[in-house]
Amino acid sequence: MDGYIIATVIKAILILAVISALAGFGTYIERKILAFIQRRLGPMHVGPFGVLQIAADGIKLFTKEDFIPSGANKIVFMVAPIITAATAFIALAAVPLLPEFTLFGIDVKPIVSDMNIGILFVIAMMGVGLYGPLLAGMAQENKWGIIGSARTAIQFLSYEVVTGLSLLAPIMMVGSLSLIDFNTYQAGGIGHWIVWTQPVAFILFLISGFAETNRTPFDLLENEAEVISGYATEYSGMRWGMFFIGEYANMITIGFLASLIFLGGFNPLWIIPGGLAIILKVAFFFFLMLWVRSAWPHIRPDQLMWLCWKVLMPLAVINILITGLVMMA
Amino acid sequence: MEAIAFYIFAILITGLFLVTAFSRNILYAMSSLAAGMVLISGLFFILGADFLGAVQLVVYSGAIMALYAFGMMFFDATRDVKEKNTSSYLVFLLSGFSAVALVVIFAAPTIGKHIEPIVTAPQGLDNPHAIGAVLFTKYLIPFEVAAVMLLVAMIAGIVLASKKMDESLSEIYLDADPETEKKEQE
């Protein structure tokens, strides 16, 4: 029992440290890749190829004055960024990050809590995470903030249905909500990946994943051109940084979910060992998000609602119906 | 271990819902409601009902998000709401009901000792499967009736809100002629 508690605490601290470091590194990668796609150089001056730009940004964020606007609701204003960052990491607790391995003679399961409803928990926690932007926008006395939180509400109500329904068809095939069961279901190599039998669900999940993480076709909450910075208008320093870390952690979570559910998870791939395989897959999804950001314009809120309710949701329902019919036949 | 977790959750939930009931600020009220609902899922997790806990999270986070949308439309979130308590009969009735509810809550452990489950949980199944097995055998008819009720509510909502639903909202505003708009409102 004691060993279990200590192991869980160590795993939680490791995930917290590694993912927040990756989130910081993600900002550098994002700027660099965006720059290359747009034929620029990106950050170049701080350190070799601008790698130390992360450190410079970190120092700037930590030392910036943390002020609270006088008209704002102070408690909610201070709590809101913590919600976004905390829920992003809580969601990662139910995700198996790597295959099991042996370290100093101890079998290590790289998952904090192996619950049998893993998918539901991750989706629910990421949903709760949107309370961060919502409360932030409402707590600051700022019109851009209110618009940002109104957009948060409609975005949440639009994509959440699509996420749930698109995942239902793979869940029906596997017959379990545990992410580890999804992984073992696809153990037979590339031919057994769920993406081949559920391509529609895969695309729907990716689209709603982009909406979930506020990535570019759906970055309505903080679109600079329209609403200054939306919910984050009045934030500065580390409070703003926590929104940022939460967003990047969510991007990594969506990458893990997509590769675990649809792309074979951490099963060994040809000559690539399983641990490296899933990291490559997550890196691919991370790159895909940046690629889409540089290639696509963002859409209007009413277009998002139209897309989610009138196109994606009927598609997801039809997909579930067909899956059910095929499974019964 | 479980007892400690239960008391922490219980105290937090009660405190948060008290804030919901007594706060005059719409933002505090709704935030504490949302936080309380999220923490209730913790009670389900302690009891080993993982599936119900996750459902609690999914359902209530969405439902309260809709409440927020209404709150945003009707109130200024950074100001206190002025409450009007004109009817003292209402206060009298509500406090009476609360007193009765309190008595029932305190009597519940004594009554609860004699309660036996009508349906025993199916053995050898994990949590979601067990719920599905009971829901689709013993409680199939109540489940289906609830589904039909939700369908009725959804159709009613669509009928009530369906004016100009086949057009994009922004196009309606672009095309709208102020004169006809006025006539329609009359």
Side-chain angles (χ1 to χ4, degrees):
Chain A
M1 191 65 193
D2 287 341
Y4 173 75
I5 292 176
I6 294 170
T8 310
V9 169
I10 292 176
K11 280 180 206 167
I13 291 174
L14 266 183
I15 288 181
L16 206 61
V18 171
I19 301 290
S20 32
L22 277 182
F25 194 59
T27 57
Y28 169 73
I29 298 280
E30 169 156 19
R31 292 165 77 173
K32 215 58 181 169
I33 288 178
L34 281 183
F36 284 143
I37 291 178
Q38 294 160 352
R39 301 185 70 185
R40 293 183 286 120
L41 284 173
M44 280 303 278
H45 291 291
V46 196
F49 299 103
V51 174
L52 292 179
Q53 187 69 43
I54 315 160
D57 284 348
I59 293 169
K60 183 191 116 187
L61 279 183
F62 272 108
T63 52
K64 210 169 178 179
E65 187 193 351
D66 174 40
F67 68 91
I68 297 169
S70 59
N73 188 330
K74 286 199 178 55
I75 298 175
V76 179
F77 187 85
M78 290 195 289
V79 168
I82 301 173
I83 297 178
T84 305
T87 50
F89 287 108
I90 295 173
L92 272 170
V95 179
L97 301 170
L98 294 170
E100 283 183 43
F101 59 91
T102 319
L103 193 71
F104 306 125
I106 308 167
D107 284 329
V108 180
K109 278 187 185 174
I111 174 170
V112 176
S113 168
D114 179 15
M115 45 179 103
N116 54 10
I117 46 129
I119 294 184
L120 265 186
F121 183 80
V122 177
I123 295 297
M125 259 311 158
M126 291 179 71
V128 173
L130 275 191
Y131 275 104
L134 183 81
L135 291 176
M138 288 180 79
Q140 51 187 289
E141 204 179 28
N142 186 315
K143 282 171 184 157
W144 305 118
I146 276 285
I147 295 174
S149 53
R151 288 181 169 200
T152 314
I154 59 151
Q155 179 153 341
F156 178 81
L157 296 175
S158 309
Y159 81 76
E160 191 72 358
V161 179
V162 183
T163 321
L165 288 180
S166 67
L167 284 181
L168 206 54
I171 289 173
M172 281 158 62
M173 284 176 59
V174 178
S176 166
L177 291 166
S178 159
L179 285 166
I180 293 180
D181 286 351
F182 270 90
N183 187 62
T184 42
Y185 181 86
Q186 306 172 74
I190 291 188
H192 288 71
W193 285 7
I194 293 183
V195 68
W196 307 127
T197 40
Q198 293 287 353
V200 180
F202 176 63
I203 292 167
L204 292 183
F205 179 74
L206 264 193
I207 293 176
S208 56
F210 274 74
E212 188 140 13
T213 48
N214 326 324
R215 292 311 295 180
T216 277
F218 312 115
D219 64 338
L220 316 167
L221 317 189
E222 46 168 346
N223 189 277
E224 287 98 349
E226 287 173 356
V227 288
I228 311 300
S229 211
Y231 67 89
T233 307
E234 297 277 9
Y235 280 89
S236 68
M238 233 16 237
R239 292 192 197 287
W240 181 82
M242 271 195 269
F243 280 124
F244 220 68
I245 289 172
E247 186 180 324
Y248 276 81
N250 273 337
M251 283 166 72
I252 294 170
T253 314
I254 284 288
F256 268 109
L257 275 189
S259 26
L260 277 167
I261 296 172
F262 293 100
L263 293 188
F266 46 75
N267 293 303
L269 182 68
W270 192 41
I271 53 164
I272 308 172
L276 190 61
I278 190 162
I279 291 175
L280 285 178
K281 285 167 197 166
V282 174
F284 166 73
F285 281 113
F286 200 87
F287 174 71
L288 184 72
M289 286 177 172
L290 308 184
W291 189 5
V292 170
R293 176 172 177 186
S294 61
W296 283 76
H298 84 283
I299 64 173
R300 292 197 311 258
D302 65 310
Q303 287 169 328
L304 172 74
M305 284 192 278
W306 173 85
L307 180 75
C308 282
W309 285 103
K310 285 192 174 174
V311 182
L312 300 184
M313 195 190 70
L315 267 180
V317 173
I318 292 169
N319 188 37
I320 291 171
L321 266 182
I322 293 174
T323 312
L325 286 178
V326 171
M327 279 173 67
M328 285 209 291
Chain B
M1 199 60 192
E2 278 184 6
I4 298 171
F6 171 78
Y7 282 117
I8 292 175
F9 275 120
I11 292 168
L12 279 176
I13 292 169
T14 324
L16 282 168
F17 283 151
L18 281 178
V19 173
T20 310
F22 289 119
S23 171
R24 282 163 187 252
N25 188 314
I26 192 75
L27 202 53
Y28 286 146
M30 283 193 300
S31 312
S32 55
L33 182 67
M37 289 297 183
V38 169
L39 287 177
I40 282 181
S41 75
L43 292 183
F44 283 112
F45 284 121
I46 292 175
L47 287 171
D50 295 357
F51 182 74
L52 284 183
V55 167
Q56 167 89 17
L57 276 179
V58 174
V59 170
Y60 281 100
S61 58
I64 297 176
M65 192 69 88
L67 257 185
Y68 267 106
F70 285 115
M72 223 184 291
M73 282 188 264
F74 297 140
F75 299 104
D76 182 352
T78 49
R79 304 267 179 281
D80 284 356
V81 177
K82 281 191 189 110
E83 291 177 36
K84 277 193 285 184
N85 283 335
T86 46
S87 160
S88 52
Y89 288 109
L90 189 68
V91 177
F92 175 73
L93 265 179
L94 283 179
S95 51
F97 277 128
S98 325
V100 173
L102 265 181
V103 170
V104 172
I105 289 168
F106 280 112
T110 341
I111 305 169
K113 277 172 194 159
H114 307 296
I115 292 177
E116 280 172 20
I118 302 173
V119 185
T120 48
Q123 294 300 311
L125 291 177
D126 61 348
N127 200 282
H129 284 114
I131 288 177
V134 176
L135 209 55
F136 284 99
T137 52
K138 172 81 179 168
Y139 294 110
L140 181 62
I141 292 177
F143 183 67
E144 291 296 327
V145 171
V148 170
M149 266 176 63
L150 285 180
L151 185 69
V152 169
M154 193 174 80
I155 293 173
I158 292 173
V159 169
L160 283 176
S162 67
K163 287 175 198 162
K164 295 181 179 174
M165 233 181 154
D166 47 346
E167 281 176 69
S168 166
L169 271 179
S170 51
E171 279 166 18
I172 293 176
Y173 292 132
L174 283 179
D175 298 341
D177 183 23
E179 291 295 312
T180 50
E181 198 86 310
K182 256 182 204 168
K183 275 174 197 165
E184 269 176 20
Q185 277 170 5
E186 284 160 14

